[in-house]
Amino acid sequence: MKAVFMTGHGGNEVVSIAMRPKPVRQPGQVLIRMQAATLNQVDLYMRNSGAGITHQLPQIMGLDGAGIVEEVDEHERVLAPGQSVVLHPAIGCGRCEFCQRGEVVLCTGIQYLGEHRDGTLAEYVSVPAQNVFPMPAGLSFAEAAALGVNHLTAWRMLFTKAQLKPWETVLIFGIGGGVSLAALQLAKLAGAQAIVTSRDDSKLQRARLAGADHLINSSTQDVVKEVMARTQGRGVDVVIENVGAAVWSSAMKSLVRGGRLVTCGATSGDQPPADIRRIFIRQLQIFGSTLGNFDEFRDLLRLTERTGLRPVIDSEFPLEQAHAALSRLESGQQFGKIAIRIGEA
Amino acid sequence: MKAVFMTGHGGNEVVSIAMRPKPVRQPGQVLIRMQAATLNQVDLYMRNSGAGITHQLPQIMGLDGAGIVEEVDEHERVLAPGQSVVLHPAIGCGRCEFCQRGEVVLCTGIQYLGEHRDGTLAEYVSVPAQNVFPMPAGLSFAEAAALGVNHLTAWRMLFTKAQLKPWETVLIFGIGGGVSLAALQLAKLAGAQAIVTSRDDSKLQRARLAGADHLINSSTQDVVKEVMARTQGRGVDVVIENVGAAVWSSAMKSLVRGGRLVTCGATSGDQPPADIRRIFIRQLQIFGSTLGNFDEFRDLLRLTERTGLRPVIDSEFPLEQAHAALSRLESGQQFGKIAIRIGEA
Amino acid sequence: MKAVFMTGHGGNEVVSIAMRPKPVRQPGQVLIRMQAATLNQVDLYMRNSGAGITHQLPQIMGLDGAGIVEEVDEHERVLAPGQSVVLHPAIGCGRCEFCQRGEVVLCTGIQYLGEHRDGTLAEYVSVPAQNVFPMPAGLSFAEAAALGVNHLTAWRMLFTKAQLKPWETVLIFGIGGGVSLAALQLAKLAGAQAIVTSRDDSKLQRARLAGADHLINSSTQDVVKEVMARTQGRGVDVVIENVGAAVWSSAMKSLVRGGRLVTCGATSGDQPPADIRRIFIRQLQIFGSTLGNFDEFRDLLRLTERTGLRPVIDSEFPLEQAHAALSRLESGQQFGKIAIRIGEA
Amino acid sequence: MKAVFMTGHGGNEVVSIAMRPKPVRQPGQVLIRMQAATLNQVDLYMRNSGAGITHQLPQIMGLDGAGIVEEVDEHERVLAPGQSVVLHPAIGCGRCEFCQRGEVVLCTGIQYLGEHRDGTLAEYVSVPAQNVFPMPAGLSFAEAAALGVNHLTAWRMLFTKAQLKPWETVLIFGIGGGVSLAALQLAKLAGAQAIVTSRDDSKLQRARLAGADHLINSSTQDVVKEVMARTQGRGVDVVIENVGAAVWSSAMKSLVRGGRLVTCGATSGDQPPADIRRIFIRQLQIFGSTLGNFDEFRDLLRLTERTGLRPVIDSEFPLEQAHAALSRLESGQQFGKIAIRIGEA
Ligand SMILES: [Zn+2]
Ligand SMILES: [Zn+2]
Ligand SMILES: [Zn+2]
Ligand SMILES: [Zn+2]
């Protein structure tokens, strides 16, 4: 089958678009004919180095994806051949303390598609049935695929960790990023007020269209000052961020007493001063988060189907043009997800 | 009336033990004839500089305390003259968002006894009725007084913030300190397992008597390594600490995936590297905490009365020897609270 | 001052519209020149018998209300004369265990305006400052008044008790009632899906306009069957009801496994069979609820101001026509709140 | 292999103790050489009628059990042949919404050992690996087996549903029963105060030895009155009960305002009057509960190992004397669990 896979680490030159053996479905698994996937920052990380992630080359890239069921177990209760489905990218060991608790994202033996094992940029994928969910009606395959990483990550941050309420205000840093944009969409569906930041006015304007209540250009405005001005000096209830060092201090200072900061990344560095004194005097709460569990994904899909939530797609490329797609992701110019169409021809 | 009050900032020379006007009870307040108080680290901080704390000199020292009701409002429902009582040291504005929520410790206009207004090292104190609680049976006035800061702080950290469960393990840093020792006592009453650290073997041995399950000498042993050895490589569910920079990294590394760190101080510095990457990859949770609310104090007193919990008293001094008491606190040699006896004739 | 007060128990003949002494503000209170109030079912209950509610005649009627601050304490932090305000109707003792916890609605010495003491159908009311909140911008006095009982009750049921989530479905019985209609508005602001029932098609149609996703006419349709049809056989996550015996069984059978039923009334009887077996086999959760606390009211007002939420006003009457207003409430024909204009002329 | 199985429904005459085919381990399962099991009320229910439970005769009886691993998957991470293990009796479908959430006890396709499929009263059992847990050190096989139903049920009631705190008081009805006795042991390990009821003074005295703080003989004393006397008129925070109709009213009246009642059975009838008015006026909370999930079982085993918790064993019978064991259970005279020894030669 056709697939996009890494043969080494470096630039696009280590990314092959060629034939790989079609996976053989194991009992308990579902074989899926892929229709679309989207790129995530971690795809670049894997291509560039993959440091710290156990994996073997060659490895097919891609974390999220959507497709059509080709083959399932005979006794399967939920899925049937021909059904449109969307993938959850985390394959747990099923046996550790965390898997027992339904916390696959904490699994001590976790394997992510496209990180620890072959991913979704391929004509076929075979994964455990629990990773396969019926696709919400009304979405394209690309839109559905896009839910599996960014929206799922934002969901857990907002709803499981921060427990954002409809009457609260959330500050989202770096609205151009995939998780940030997903967080904006979800926060608005939940009735909350959203303040977003970006260094780029055109991204802020597009965030406005996606429902942002307040815009802050972090290259020309003082974020903390603006946040305070727009919250009557009170600060926000929740901060969602994955920028790290560059905004850590502003994030903390933007919080109301007792407020909650949720982080899922640190692209600008992960070792800013911790500011413990501020944490205890103002009784702040900090939560680390990554991806989301199966039940969170189910809830996300349920809300998506009912509300018509649609991930923002920046652009689409056929599988054969994966190099161009990766380059666009690398450029940082996109607003929304870069999708890969699979198996159309 | 006799009182211990600051006339400036510095050493014991700015601490006067002399006469001050007896407070006049206002409506809604309770006038209390004090019997005992205990010293807290913040007393030294106030004496030394009081930087960042709005206050006016001369000011009577002392945060916690216990005594006998002298005078109350006519319509008071709970308290009556002659009753033994213990004080909650936080006087809220009653009007801010946080007071409305019962979160006096977040009040934007908070005043602590002995910090922002006259404190408890005096023959009489007059405070709002909501700060006055019936004293648990079976405790001395000194023991009861000791509950008002350290135990209340530990209570909120363990039960409100970390939500420690009976089947969990808590790691408590610096077991010599008042909050740490209170946390140990409370964790054991709640059925949890406790690992404690100290640089001093004799403090560790006394912690053993107070119920500690595992002892780590942090000057001779590697805390993280020991924690892992005693938790089958898993890490602890909860860390309680107020040391700050010196232990921040060890604290984070001692936590199980998804574990909770609660901090209420940073005596060794408050700006260690934040280690954001560890926070989000392992989905750690960090909570700042200070003191505790009225309902938390009520629950603490209820548990105290039923279980016979008794704060550890290191030593007792009469009011007239407040200088000696402050010096002992400054020495760091105490194990438990340094109490001040008041009004014993 | 002019007021509407009860001189006995019975029909409108025991309701006087005449002069009563203007209240004298006590320290800690706010004197308010009332502008509007709305009627609640409990007004009829008080007029008809008031059985079980300690009160003294004559007593001014009315629980909720909005007006203008006339006089406050000198040191008041939040309110100033001339400010538009809305009232919280519960006056707690301030001293019991529940008041200490911020749970005024559980206070052992609770007094409600218009139930245990003079209410809001008067030109002036004097209440503790903590019962007085700045009025959200953009609402009329009547609309603001309407928030104080029905919306506050619905708020606590949905958000504090049921903890309704944006991806969940709530079933609301008897959409004509004030609490039910408020619950519908709030559930929709929170992003949830709402199924409503009524015996009256015209009320269902008006509920549709207020955002209801599914309508069930409970006199012509089988509620449980319809709920299951509209939830793919799953049942709803949350039921909100105050009808009691007549719907208890349907309510329980409409719930998903582990679902939550919240009740704040039992107008059709309060002793249906409990159906314990269903409760434990399906692990159902049942929560009783009444009114809401100060922090819940603050959050409600915050959401109201931002979103433009407006209580539905069925009709308005001047204070002098309180009899006609009570009769309309008694008729059960209203859709939304019956408001009383005060002090206009 | 030898087994105890039902060949029909009725008395002990339908219970055969004879040979049945040894189960063949499927992939993902663990084959266990059983050492002990204990009887549960549901065993009698299955024998007597099994009404409402889908099952096929002949069926091996027994829900809980402990034994030694005979055979596992090659790649199994946790278990190895020769290891002592204890069983969780609920086999979920793994595919429904509830299984996805880690809520196996709500599974729409649940199968309990000894109810919907062959159970534990046999020399060998083969179950999915996730149902098999390392046995806590220090317990006999019979004691370990006893944890799997009664203690697990009590655990979920106390800790997951009621969220019992160390400073709270729990009222446990019918202390002779297996779940009640387990609840008493667990509540005491968690530091809470326990009031227990029984109609039998000798059971009350044994409960005293197990840590009960207050004893009420419900045939000679008024439960509500006694509860109020022992809680200063306040009522208890939590009620744990499985008696149903006979105690429902007392249970509700024994609760503090806002208190929590958890039920897992209704042996005396399940249709008492619901008393909705009391529920909403006092804002009571009612939770249905059955058994417990895998993570709850893991936490229970963890606490058991550390604290030396030991289920009370009333008596032990060899497998061959299962009839006598069932008769003793039927007599209601036992205090604690009736154990069955298996495979002891
Ligand atoms: Zn795992
Ligand atoms: Zn305040
Ligand atoms: Zn009260
Ligand atoms: Zn299932």
Side-chain angles (χ1 to χ4, degrees):
Chain A
M1 65 172 184
K2 223 178 300 174
V4 177
F5 55 96
M6 301 178 298
T7 56
H9 295 113
N12 271 343
E13 75 283 357
V14 304
V15 177
S16 288
I17 305 168
M19 298 305 281
R20 292 288 297 156
K22 181 175 168 183
V24 177
R25 191 182 74 85
Q26 305 299 315
Q29 289 190 334
V30 179
L31 181 69
I32 299 162
R33 189 155 30 89
M34 298 302 292
Q35 300 294 309
T38 77
L39 297 186
N40 293 286
Q41 289 298 333
V42 75
D43 293 314
L44 288 178
Y45 181 80
M46 290 304 298
R47 185 200 67 179
N48 295 349
S49 80
I53 315 256
T54 307
H55 63 291
Q56 284 187 309
L57 297 179
Q59 186 173 278
I60 298 173
M61 301 181 77
L63 273 83
D64 60 38
I68 295 168
V69 173
E70 184 87 2
E71 204 183 300
V72 294
D73 276 353
E74 204 178 338
H75 57 71
E76 163 65 25
R77 295 184 80 192
V78 178
L79 304 170
Q83 192 172 354
S84 295
V85 293
V86 55
L87 296 190
H88 184 293
I91 295 170
C93 77
R95 299 294 293 124
C96 73
E97 155 178 11
F98 307 99
C99 285
Q100 275 176 335
R101 245 184 240 160
E103 289 272 17
V104 68
V105 290
L106 293 177
C107 174
T108 58
I110 193 70
Q111 293 201 318
Y112 287 112
L113 300 179
E115 291 192 46
H116 309 84
R117 55 192 283 167
D118 280 340
T120 56
L121 294 180
E123 289 181 298
Y124 291 93
V125 172
S126 187
V127 293
Q130 63 180 355
N131 289 76
V132 184
F133 292 76
M135 202 170 107
L139 270 69
S140 70
F141 284 103
E143 289 167 336
L147 296 170
V149 173
N150 288 174
H151 278 75
L152 180 54
T153 300
W155 183 277
R156 183 169 174 86
M157 294 174 82
L158 283 176
F159 300 133
T160 306
K161 297 292 180 180
Q163 307 232 27
L164 182 69
K165 307 294 190 209
W167 54 93
E168 293 187 326
T169 300
V170 59
L171 169 64
I172 304 168
F173 279 92
I175 199 57
V179 171
S180 298
L181 192 49
L184 171 60
Q185 290 185 311
L186 295 174
K188 293 312 297 176
L189 283 176
Q193 179 171 241
I195 305 177
V196 302
T197 80
S198 175
R199 301 182 153 276
D200 178 339
D201 275 331
S202 74
K203 290 190 177 177
L204 288 173
Q205 289 315 316
R206 298 183 71 169
R208 166 87 75 195
L209 297 177
D213 297 281
H214 294 283
L215 314 176
I216 301 176
N217 185 319
S218 53
S219 57
T220 61
Q221 295 178 291
D222 177 321
V223 171
V224 177
K225 209 170 132 190
E226 290 298 320
V227 165
M228 288 303 160
R230 289 145 200 242
T231 57
Q232 292 77 52
R234 179 184 179 275
V236 298
D237 302 280
V238 172
V239 167
I240 297 294
E241 76 95 10
N242 56 18
V243 179
V247 307
W248 195 251
S249 175
S250 298
M252 300 260 263
K253 289 177 183 156
S254 296
L255 282 172
V256 69
R257 287 154 189 252
R260 297 151 269 156
L261 183 161
V262 191
T263 174
C264 71
T267 53
S268 69
D270 72 335
Q271 297 293 3
D275 213 355
I276 301 176
R277 200 172 148 76
R278 180 176 301 272
I279 294 174
F280 69 77
I281 287 182
R282 293 179 66 88
Q283 305 213 25
L284 304 181
Q285 306 174 54
I286 299 172
F287 300 93
S289 194
T290 57
L291 209 67
N293 294 321
F294 299 130
D295 60 335
E296 293 165 327
F297 197 41
R298 163 182 277 273
D299 290 334
L300 163 59
L301 295 176
R302 184 177 169 195
L303 186 71
T304 300
E305 171 137 340
R306 180 166 59 77
T307 60
L309 164 69
R310 290 182 171 241
V312 177
I313 302 295
D314 171 78
S315 50
E316 286 197 47
F317 297 82
L319 190 68
E320 291 72 16
Q321 297 177 21
H323 288 168
L326 285 164
S327 295
R328 178 149 181 88
L329 177 62
E330 213 161 5
S331 75
Q333 291 173 349
Q334 76 281 3
F335 186 85
K337 300 293 287 180
I338 297 162
I340 305 287
R341 287 191 305 273
I342 308 174
E344 293 180 336
Chain B
M1 63 173 186
K2 223 179 299 175
V4 177
F5 55 96
M6 302 178 296
T7 56
H9 295 113
N12 271 343
E13 73 283 359
V14 304
V15 177
S16 289
I17 304 168
M19 298 304 281
R20 291 290 296 158
K22 181 175 166 182
V24 178
R25 190 182 72 85
Q26 304 298 316
Q29 290 189 334
V30 178
L31 181 68
I32 299 163
R33 188 153 32 88
M34 297 302 293
Q35 301 294 307
T38 77
L39 298 186
N40 293 286
Q41 290 299 332
V42 74
D43 294 313
L44 287 178
Y45 182 79
M46 290 305 297
R47 184 199 69 178
N48 294 350
S49 79
I53 314 257
T54 307
H55 62 292
Q56 284 186 309
L57 298 178
Q59 185 173 279
I60 298 172
M61 300 181 78
L63 272 84
D64 60 37
I68 295 168
V69 173
E70 183 88 3
E71 203 184 299
V72 294
D73 275 354
E74 204 179 339
H75 57 71
E76 164 63 26
R77 295 184 81 191
V78 179
L79 304 170
Q83 193 171 354
S84 294
V85 292
V86 55
L87 296 190
H88 184 292
I91 295 171
C93 76
R95 300 294 292 125
C96 73
E97 155 178 11
F98 307 99
C99 284
Q100 274 175 336
R101 246 186 240 159
E103 288 273 15
V104 68
V105 289
L106 292 177
C107 173
T108 58
I110 192 70
Q111 293 201 317
Y112 287 111
L113 300 178
E115 291 191 45
H116 308 85
R117 54 191 283 167
D118 280 342
T120 56
L121 293 179
E123 289 181 299
Y124 291 93
V125 172
S126 187
V127 293
Q130 64 180 355
N131 289 76
V132 184
F133 292 75
M135 203 169 106
L139 270 69
S140 71
F141 284 104
E143 288 167 337
L147 297 169
V149 172
N150 287 175
H151 279 75
L152 180 54
T153 300
W155 184 277
R156 182 170 175 84
M157 293 174 83
L158 283 175
F159 299 133
T160 306
K161 297 292 179 179
Q163 307 231 27
L164 181 70
K165 307 294 190 209
W167 53 93
E168 292 186 326
T169 300
V170 58
L171 169 63
I172 303 169
F173 279 92
I175 198 57
V179 171
S180 298
L181 191 49
L184 171 60
Q185 289 185 311
L186 295 174
K188 292 312 297 176
L189 282 176
Q193 179 170 241
I195 305 176
V196 304
T197 79
S198 175
R199 302 182 153 276
D200 178 340
D201 274 332
S202 73
K203 290 190 177 177
L204 288 173
Q205 288 316 315
R206 298 183 70 169
R208 166 86 76 195
L209 297 177
D213 298 280
H214 295 284
L215 314 175
I216 301 176
N217 185 319
S218 52
S219 57
T220 61
Q221 294 178 291
D222 177 320
V223 171
V224 178
K225 211 170 131 189
E226 291 297 321
V227 165
M228 289 302 160
R230 288 145 200 241
T231 58
Q232 293 76 52
R234 180 184 177 274
V236 297
D237 302 279
V238 172
V239 167
I240 297 293
E241 76 95 9
N242 56 19
V243 178
V247 306
W248 195 250
S249 175
S250 298
M252 301 260 263
K253 289 177 185 157
S254 297
L255 283 172
V256 69
R257 289 155 189 251
R260 297 150 268 157
L261 183 162
V262 192
T263 174
C264 72
T267 53
S268 69
D270 71 335
Q271 298 293 2
D275 212 355
I276 302 176
R277 201 173 149 75
R278 181 175 300 273
I279 294 174
F280 70 77
I281 287 183
R282 293 178 67 87
Q283 306 214 26
L284 305 181
Q285 307 174 52
I286 299 172
F287 300 93
S289 193
T290 57
L291 209 68
N293 293 321
F294 298 130
D295 60 335
E296 293 166 326
F297 197 41
R298 162 182 278 273
D299 290 334
L300 163 59
L301 295 176
R302 185 179 169 194
L303 187 69
T304 300
E305 172 136 341
R306 178 167 61 79
T307 59
L309 164 70
R310 290 182 172 239
V312 177
I313 302 295
D314 170 78
S315 50
E316 286 196 47
F317 297 82
L319 191 67
E320 290 72 15
Q321 296 177 22
H323 288 167
L326 285 163
S327 295
R328 176 150 181 87
L329 177 61
E330 213 161 5
S331 76
Q333 292 172 347
Q334 75 281 2
F335 185 85
K337 301 292 288 179
I338 298 162
I340 305 287
R341 288 190 307 272
I342 309 174
E344 295 181 333
Chain C
M1 66 172 183
K2 224 178 298 173
V4 177
F5 55 96
M6 302 177 297
T7 57
H9 295 112
N12 271 343
E13 74 282 357
V14 305
V15 177
S16 288
I17 304 168
M19 299 303 282
R20 292 288 297 158
K22 182 176 167 182
V24 178
R25 190 182 73 85
Q26 305 299 315
Q29 290 189 332
V30 178
L31 181 69
I32 298 162
R33 188 155 30 90
M34 298 301 293
Q35 300 294 308
T38 77
L39 298 186
N40 293 286
Q41 290 299 332
V42 75
D43 294 313
L44 288 178
Y45 182 80
M46 290 305 297
R47 185 200 68 178
N48 295 350
S49 80
I53 313 258
T54 307
H55 63 292
Q56 285 186 310
L57 299 178
Q59 184 173 279
I60 297 172
M61 301 181 76
L63 272 83
D64 60 37
I68 295 167
V69 173
E70 184 87 5
E71 205 184 299
V72 294
D73 276 354
E74 205 178 337
H75 56 71
E76 163 63 26
R77 295 184 82 191
V78 179
L79 305 170
Q83 193 172 354
S84 295
V85 292
V86 54
L87 296 190
H88 184 293
I91 295 171
C93 77
R95 299 294 292 123
C96 73
E97 156 178 10
F98 308 99
C99 284
Q100 274 175 338
R101 245 185 241 158
E103 288 273 16
V104 68
V105 291
L106 291 177
C107 174
T108 58
I110 193 71
Q111 294 201 317
Y112 287 112
L113 300 178
E115 291 192 46
H116 308 84
R117 55 192 282 167
D118 281 340
T120 56
L121 293 180
E123 289 181 300
Y124 291 93
V125 172
S126 187
V127 293
Q130 66 180 354
N131 289 78
V132 184
F133 292 75
M135 202 169 106
L139 269 69
S140 71
F141 284 103
E143 289 167 335
L147 296 170
V149 173
N150 288 173
H151 278 75
L152 180 54
T153 300
W155 183 277
R156 182 169 175 84
M157 294 174 83
L158 284 175
F159 300 133
T160 306
K161 298 292 180 179
Q163 307 231 29
L164 182 70
K165 307 292 190 211
W167 54 93
E168 293 186 325
T169 300
V170 58
L171 169 63
I172 303 169
F173 278 92
I175 198 58
V179 171
S180 298
L181 192 49
L184 171 59
Q185 289 185 312
L186 295 174
K188 292 312 297 176
L189 282 176
Q193 178 170 241
I195 305 177
V196 303
T197 79
S198 174
R199 302 182 153 275
D200 179 341
D201 274 331
S202 74
K203 290 189 176 178
L204 288 173
Q205 289 315 316
R206 298 183 70 170
R208 167 86 76 195
L209 297 177
D213 297 281
H214 294 286
L215 313 176
I216 301 176
N217 185 318
S218 54
S219 57
T220 61
Q221 294 178 291
D222 177 320
V223 171
V224 177
K225 211 170 129 189
E226 291 297 321
V227 164
M228 288 303 159
R230 289 144 200 242
T231 58
Q232 292 77 52
R234 179 183 178 276
V236 298
D237 302 279
V238 172
V239 167
I240 296 293
E241 76 95 10
N242 56 19
V243 177
V247 308
W248 195 251
S249 175
S250 298
M252 301 258 264
K253 289 177 184 157
S254 296
L255 283 172
V256 70
R257 288 154 190 253
R260 298 150 268 157
L261 184 161
V262 192
T263 175
C264 72
T267 54
S268 69
D270 71 334
Q271 297 293 3
D275 213 355
I276 301 175
R277 201 172 148 75
R278 181 175 300 273
I279 294 173
F280 70 76
I281 287 182
R282 293 178 67 87
Q283 306 215 25
L284 304 181
Q285 307 175 54
I286 298 172
F287 300 93
S289 194
T290 57
L291 209 68
N293 293 322
F294 298 130
D295 59 335
E296 293 165 325
F297 197 41
R298 163 182 277 275
D299 290 334
L300 164 58
L301 296 176
R302 184 177 169 196
L303 186 70
T304 299
E305 173 138 339
R306 179 166 60 80
T307 60
L309 164 69
R310 289 182 171 241
V312 177
I313 302 295
D314 170 78
S315 51
E316 287 197 46
F317 296 82
L319 190 69
E320 291 73 15
Q321 296 176 22
H323 289 167
L326 286 163
S327 296
R328 178 149 181 87
L329 177 62
E330 213 161 6
S331 76
Q333 291 173 349
Q334 75 282 2
F335 186 85
K337 300 293 287 180
I338 297 162
I340 305 287
R341 288 191 305 272
I342 308 173
E344 294 179 336
Chain D
M1 65 173 184
K2 223 179 299 173
V4 177
F5 55 96
M6 301 177 298
T7 58
H9 295 113
N12 272 343
E13 74 283 359
V14 304
V15 177
S16 288
I17 306 168
M19 298 304 281
R20 293 287 298 157
K22 182 175 167 184
V24 177
R25 192 182 71 85
Q26 305 298 316
Q29 290 189 334
V30 178
L31 181 69
I32 299 162
R33 188 156 31 89
M34 298 301 294
Q35 300 295 309
T38 78
L39 298 185
N40 293 286
Q41 289 299 331
V42 75
D43 294 313
L44 287 178
Y45 181 81
M46 290 305 296
R47 185 200 68 179
N48 294 349
S49 80
I53 313 257
T54 306
H55 63 290
Q56 285 187 309
L57 299 178
Q59 186 173 279
I60 298 173
M61 301 181 78
L63 272 83
D64 59 37
I68 295 168
V69 174
E70 184 86 3
E71 202 185 300
V72 294
D73 275 354
E74 203 178 340
H75 56 72
E76 164 63 25
R77 296 185 80 191
V78 179
L79 305 169
Q83 193 172 355
S84 295
V85 292
V86 54
L87 296 190
H88 184 292
I91 296 171
C93 77
R95 299 294 292 125
C96 73
E97 156 179 11
F98 308 100
C99 285
Q100 275 175 336
R101 244 185 241 159
E103 288 273 17
V104 68
V105 290
L106 293 176
C107 174
T108 58
I110 193 71
Q111 293 201 317
Y112 288 112
L113 299 178
E115 291 191 45
H116 308 84
R117 56 191 283 167
D118 280 341
T120 55
L121 293 180
E123 289 180 299
Y124 291 92
V125 172
S126 187
V127 293
Q130 65 180 355
N131 289 76
V132 184
F133 292 75
M135 202 170 107
L139 270 69
S140 70
F141 284 103
E143 289 166 337
L147 297 170
V149 172
N150 287 174
H151 279 74
L152 180 55
T153 300
W155 183 277
R156 182 169 174 85
M157 294 175 83
L158 284 175
F159 299 133
T160 307
K161 297 293 180 179
Q163 307 231 26
L164 182 70
K165 307 292 190 209
W167 54 93
E168 292 186 325
T169 300
V170 60
L171 169 64
I172 303 169
F173 279 92
I175 198 57
V179 172
S180 298
L181 192 49
L184 171 60
Q185 289 184 312
L186 296 174
K188 292 313 297 176
L189 282 176
Q193 178 170 241
I195 305 177
V196 303
T197 79
S198 175
R199 303 182 153 275
D200 179 340
D201 274 331
S202 73
K203 290 190 176 177
L204 289 173
Q205 289 315 316
R206 298 184 69 170
R208 167 86 75 195
L209 297 177
D213 298 280
H214 294 284
L215 314 175
I216 301 176
N217 184 319
S218 54
S219 57
T220 61
Q221 294 178 292
D222 177 322
V223 171
V224 178
K225 209 170 132 187
E226 291 298 319
V227 165
M228 289 302 159
R230 289 143 199 243
T231 58
Q232 293 76 51
R234 179 184 179 274
V236 298
D237 301 280
V238 172
V239 167
I240 296 294
E241 75 96 9
N242 57 19
V243 178
V247 308
W248 194 250
S249 174
S250 298
M252 300 260 263
K253 289 178 183 156
S254 297
L255 282 172
V256 70
R257 289 155 188 251
R260 297 150 270 157
L261 183 161
V262 192
T263 174
C264 72
T267 53
S268 69
D270 72 335
Q271 298 294 1
D275 213 355
I276 302 176
R277 200 173 149 75
R278 181 176 300 272
I279 294 174
F280 69 77
I281 287 182
R282 292 178 68 87
Q283 305 213 26
L284 304 180
Q285 307 174 55
I286 298 172
F287 300 92
S289 193
T290 57
L291 208 69
N293 294 321
F294 299 129
D295 59 335
E296 294 165 325
F297 196 42
R298 163 183 277 274
D299 290 334
L300 163 59
L301 295 177
R302 184 178 170 196
L303 186 71
T304 299
E305 172 137 341
R306 179 167 59 80
T307 61
L309 164 69
R310 289 182 171 241
V312 177
I313 302 295
D314 170 79
S315 49
E316 286 197 47
F317 297 82
L319 191 68
E320 291 72 15
Q321 295 177 23
H323 288 168
L326 285 163
S327 295
R328 176 149 182 87
L329 177 62
E330 212 160 6
S331 76
Q333 292 173 347
Q334 76 281 3
F335 186 85
K337 301 292 289 179
I338 298 161
I340 306 287
R341 289 190 306 272
I342 308 174
E344 292 182 333

